[in-house]
Amino acid sequence: MDPPRNDPSGRWSRNSKTLALWVLIVLMSVLAAQFLRGQEERATDFTYTEFRQQLDADNIHKVTVIDQRRMTGELRSPVSRGGQDRVSFQTALPGDLSPALEEKLLSQGVVVEGKRDVAGWGTILLGALPWLLFIAFWIWIFRTMQSGGNRAFQFGRSKAKLISPEAPKVTFADVAGADEAKEELEEIIEFLKDPQQFARLGGRLPKGVLLVGPPGTGKTLLARAVAGQAGRPFFQMSGSDFVEMFVGVGASRVRDLFEQGKAHAPCIIFIDEIDAVGRHRGAGLGGGHDEREQTLNALLVEMDGFETNEGVILIAATNRPDVLDPALLRPGRFDRQVVVDLPDVKGREAILRVHAKKLPLADDVKLGIVARGTPGLSGADLANICNESALLAARRGGDRVTMDDFEQAKDKIMLGTERRSLVLTEKERRLTAYHEAGHAVIGLCVPGMDPLHKVTIVPRGRALGITASFPEEDRHSYTKEWLEGQLTMLYGGRVAEEMIFGMERVTTGAGNDIERATEMARRMVTRFGMSERIGLMAVGESDHEVFLGRELSTRRDISEHTSQLVDQEVKRFLDEAHDRARTVIDEQRDLLDRIAQSLLDRETLDRDEIALIGKGEELAPLETVEPEGLGAETDAPPVRTPRETKIPLRPLPPDPAVS
């Protein structure tokens, strides 16, 4: 009985038969070549001395000289060789046929002929044998590669990994901050455990679930949790594993993957980063014959084609759903799209609690405060904060992770690593202090702004100073008042430089602020409909290149007049923000000086210190530490140490449309 269609051993048996046939053909060719060569060489071999002896005995009847180098002939009387009488002979001449030898042959009446050496069939086959073997080898490789059954070279075999039930499991208890996604996937697991419960009213199992969300939100972790909860065979594969340099390999691997799935049905197949193979067809330079598109075609057919794959559920993850082919997203293939978005404050706290289970926490750790101070961070970022806090605690020699470790780790992740080794001149420190003080004055005095929580002139990352703030609660939409306040705050640093040091001494420190402000103002005009002159019209770029499937083309979406209006409105928003910042800082010049001087003294101001300065109150004196190695009577000045902040912080909010 033939093995079932989805049995890999059946494919291997068929390929073995094909290989055996080719081996038999090659062996028959070798035997035939040897036989023909033996037929050609069955004449008795004479040495040249024996040939001259037979010639002197007048026993040569006929000779044929071949290329002046070899001679065959017939004897008048047979000679005995190997117990048999032979009349034919062949011999090799020591050189070209000499005139003396030719004269002697003719004088004895020997019939002399001459001919050119022509290779026989045996010689031809033996010479062609390496090429025949090479051609047969590659024919066998391509045939087995296209059929998906070559185990020797693994070309057409799927690279999917079957998750063993004995492997360490990740369950839904290890996943937090994605409650809606967990509910959708729990229902899929119930489908697999008891399909009759849902099919009794005519329903069918979903064929595919697409997990969509930003990077680091836990899409792959959710898939691993499904593998741990389902108790069913679970195949894991990446989208890039399908595509190879050989034509047809990707499609062969897709077919092999689903054949394995059907053999283990009901089961789950997980493809991570499916956009590597599922991109929109017609958008590549390879056209319809592109290897990636052929792989996508095979995937579409296997998911919902002429044959059905009952009991095989495909789960895929991507952070680029906009580039996927529409045929892949339709119901019947991916019946459900589960959005795994950035967590809210409750989700962040739950994620922190999951990752903090392995950490010995001190009594002062309040994960709710850490969660409030990390808006916009993904689950991967929060896991990194927990890991960094544990590393910081180990570095200082502590036996528990404290709240201060969490705050330092959070600042390191969100603001960048402190660069204490970067030495600034006193002039640069003063300029940086006034620049950050300008941002801080706007944040304190302009209504509708997020509360300030940290201002520092300690270099972090690529910035010489940072002004950080975060909202009291998660914000999902942004008002025009808030956006205009952000524009004003972005120009606060540049305005402070202009007012204190003059236009001739402004620096490049505001370069990133100006870039962010320009992008934000352009989106306010072209995307958010906040310009009265432009109105409620989404305006794209004036000129941009688009790919039309076959060639690049330049397309103009708006007229030249509208483009000029857009530029004028963007310029108006920026000028108004600059003028507003100048007005506020001019009115609050004393506050600007006090904040700048405090930064020069302390380097870092936290939320409480900023609030005290805003109220006009004096700050507590700095703690002093005697230099090591010096006695009490030394005249060396005391070392001032800035207070360590214990308030959750975040950087200056970026353009919401960009994020």
Side-chain angles (χ1 to χ4, degrees):
M1 183 177 64
D2 293 335
R5 181 178 179 273
N6 56 3
D7 184 7
S9 62
R11 292 196 309 272
W12 176 241
S13 176
R14 292 192 296 271
N15 291 326
S16 300
K17 293 178 181 178
T18 303
L19 177 61
L21 176 62
W22 280 105
V23 172
L24 180 62
I25 292 174
V26 172
L27 290 177
M28 293 296 294
S29 301
V30 173
L31 292 176
Q34 292 179 348
F35 174 76
L36 292 175
R37 186 172 182 177
Q39 291 293 323
E40 291 178 353
E41 298 180 356
R42 62 184 177 179
T44 302
D45 290 328
F46 276 9
T47 64
Y48 185 71
T49 301
E50 292 174 333
F51 165 72
R52 291 304 300 254
Q53 292 174 354
Q54 295 295 327
L55 179 62
D56 293 341
D58 196 16
N59 194 29
I60 304 297
H61 171 65
K62 179 181 178 182
V63 295
T64 301
V65 181
I66 303 173
D67 286 341
Q68 299 290 323
R69 293 289 184 181
R70 190 163 56 89
M71 184 182 297
T72 62
E74 297 178 1
L75 302 174
R76 288 192 171 96
S77 300
V79 295
S80 177
R81 283 296 179 90
Q84 295 182 354
D85 293 336
R86 301 285 187 178
V87 296
S88 299
F89 71 92
Q90 64 176 358
T91 186
L93 299 176
D96 293 341
L97 183 65
S98 63
L101 178 60
E102 182 180 355
E103 182 179 354
K104 186 170 185 177
L105 289 171
L106 294 175
S107 65
Q108 293 186 359
V110 178
V111 180
V112 180
E113 294 181 353
K115 71 175 183 178
R116 303 187 63 180
D117 191 8
V118 179
W121 282 105
T123 304
I124 294 174
L125 286 176
L126 286 176
L129 183 60
W131 292 101
L132 292 175
L133 290 173
F134 181 77
I135 294 172
F137 174 74
W138 280 104
I139 290 176
W140 172 65
I141 284 180
F142 282 112
R143 284 175 59 88
T144 54
M145 180 182 63
Q146 292 174 358
S147 65
N150 181 17
R151 298 218 174 196
F153 297 92
Q154 296 292 324
F155 283 126
R157 293 286 296 166
S158 169
K159 294 185 177 181
K161 299 178 181 179
L162 179 61
I163 304 300
S164 172
E166 291 77 16
K169 293 183 179 181
V170 176
T171 64
F172 282 142
D174 302 314
V175 181
D179 296 335
E180 293 81 4
K182 287 167 61 175
E183 291 178 3
E184 291 276 359
L185 295 175
E186 283 176 348
E187 188 174 341
I188 298 296
I189 294 173
E190 293 298 326
F191 282 149
L192 291 172
K193 291 182 176 179
D194 188 10
Q196 300 300 325
Q197 175 185 354
F198 299 92
R200 60 187 178 85
L201 298 179
R204 62 175 179 82
L205 262 66
K207 293 186 177 180
V209 178
L210 182 64
L211 303 178
V212 179
T217 51
K219 300 182 293 296
T220 305
L221 183 64
L222 278 170
R224 293 172 59 192
V226 171
Q229 293 281 140
R232 297 290 184 180
F234 187 91
F235 293 91
Q236 179 183 0
M237 193 171 182
S238 171
S240 60
D241 291 336
F242 290 107
V243 182
E244 289 282 356
M245 62 178 292
F246 297 106
V247 177
V249 174
S252 174
R253 287 179 176 172
V254 170
R255 291 190 290 268
D256 185 76
L257 174 63
F258 278 86
E259 284 185 2
Q260 294 183 46
K262 286 183 285 185
H264 294 83
C267 71
I268 298 175
I269 296 175
F270 174 62
I271 301 178
D272 200 5
E273 304 297 343
I274 195 174
D275 52 278
V277 70
R279 284 180 176 266
H280 198 294
R281 288 171 292 182
L285 299 178
H289 297 285
D290 182 37
E291 166 67 6
R292 180 187 53 78
E293 294 191 3
Q294 297 300 326
T295 306
L296 175 58
N297 291 336
L299 180 61
L300 296 176
V301 172
E302 290 294 337
M303 289 188 69
D304 187 23
F306 193 80
E307 295 184 1
T308 59
N309 292 317
E310 296 295 339
V312 178
I313 295 180
L314 179 64
I315 300 178
T318 181
N319 50 31
R320 293 292 309 277
D322 54 306
V323 303
L324 295 180
D325 193 275
L328 190 64
L329 299 177
R330 72 163 176 83
R333 291 195 173 109
F334 282 114
D335 299 282
R336 299 185 179 184
Q337 294 189 25
V338 179
V339 177
V340 187
D341 209 346
L342 294 172
D344 56 11
V345 61
K346 293 183 179 179
R348 292 195 297 272
E349 183 176 356
I351 293 173
L352 287 171
R353 294 191 183 281
V354 169
H355 292 291
K357 287 180 180 179
K358 301 178 293 184
L359 307 180
L361 301 181
D363 296 335
D364 64 337
V365 174
K366 294 179 174 56
L367 297 179
I369 296 179
V370 180
R372 288 184 59 249
T374 53
L377 295 192
S378 65
D381 296 325
L382 298 173
N384 198 17
I385 288 176
C386 292
N387 184 62
E388 286 290 340
S389 63
L391 296 178
L392 288 172
R395 188 178 304 162
R396 64 175 174 79
D399 56 353
R400 290 183 176 273
V401 181
T402 65
M403 188 67 176
D404 187 56
D405 295 324
F406 272 97
E407 295 303 329
Q408 292 186 38
K410 183 162 55 59
D411 289 349
K412 183 178 180 180
I413 299 300
M414 301 179 69
L415 306 180
T417 305
E418 287 188 357
R419 295 191 295 165
R420 292 282 181 178
S421 60
L422 181 62
V423 179
L424 301 179
T425 64
E426 189 61 31
K427 182 184 298 184
E428 288 175 326
R429 290 184 74 252
R430 187 165 181 267
L431 192 145
T432 304
Y434 271 98
H435 182 100
E436 299 304 328
H439 289 310
V441 168
I442 300 299
L444 288 172
C445 301
V446 173
M449 301 295 294
D450 296 329
L452 289 175
H453 289 283
K454 187 174 188 178
V455 183
T456 179
I457 59 172
V458 176
R460 284 181 176 269
R462 293 183 297 176
L464 298 181
I466 291 177
T467 301
S469 61
F470 73 86
E472 295 294 339
E473 56 186 13
D474 288 343
R475 180 182 286 109
H476 304 288
S477 61
Y478 302 87
T479 64
K480 183 179 180 182
E481 178 189 32
W482 187 88
L483 293 172
E484 289 177 342
Q486 290 298 306
L487 292 177
T488 306
M489 189 172 183
L490 287 170
Y491 278 116
R494 179 58 176 266
V495 169
E497 291 184 24
E498 295 173 358
M499 295 180 63
I500 301 301
F501 304 99
M503 289 295 299
E504 295 78 11
R505 299 179 63 186
V506 295
T507 67
T508 59
N512 181 255
D513 296 333
I514 296 174
E515 181 181 353
R516 291 167 59 190
T518 303
E519 180 65 21
M520 184 181 295
R522 182 169 295 277
R523 290 181 178 271
M524 291 173 65
V525 173
T526 60
R527 296 287 185 89
F528 305 148
M530 294 181 178
S531 170
E532 296 180 358
R533 295 183 65 186
I534 299 300
L536 303 178
M537 178 177 67
V539 182
E541 299 294 335
S542 58
D543 284 305
H544 58 277
E545 290 185 340
V546 295
F547 190 75
L548 301 179
R550 295 185 178 179
E551 60 182 2
L552 286 172
S553 175
T554 302
R555 185 175 67 191
R556 181 179 295 272
D557 289 338
I558 59 177
S559 65
E560 189 68 31
H561 175 67
T562 305
S563 179
Q564 293 178 0
L565 288 179
V566 169
D567 293 338
Q568 292 172 7
E569 285 297 283
V570 172
K571 183 71 163 53
R572 181 179 66 83
F573 273 110
L574 298 178
D575 289 342
E576 289 178 355
H578 183 272
D579 295 341
R580 186 183 183 189
R582 177 174 287 275
T583 301
V584 173
I585 292 179
D586 187 54
E587 294 175 353
Q588 302 292 334
R589 174 61 183 272
D590 181 63
L591 178 61
L592 177 72
D593 292 333
R594 285 188 285 118
I595 293 178
Q597 187 59 47
S598 299
L599 287 172
L600 291 172
D601 294 338
R602 300 169 181 262
E603 291 188 337
T604 299
L605 300 175
D606 61 26
R607 180 177 61 179
D608 296 335
E609 293 170 335
I610 295 172
L612 290 175
I613 296 175
K615 296 176 182 178
E617 301 179 10
E618 294 294 331
L619 300 180
L622 287 169
E623 300 176 2
T624 59
V625 178
E626 293 293 337
E628 295 183 3
L630 297 177
E633 299 178 356
T634 181
D635 295 331
V639 179
R640 293 178 294 186
T641 59
R643 284 182 55 189
E644 291 292 340
T645 177
K646 294 186 172 69
I647 307 298
L649 309 169
R650 80 173 180 92
L652 185 67
D655 178 4
V658 176
S659 61

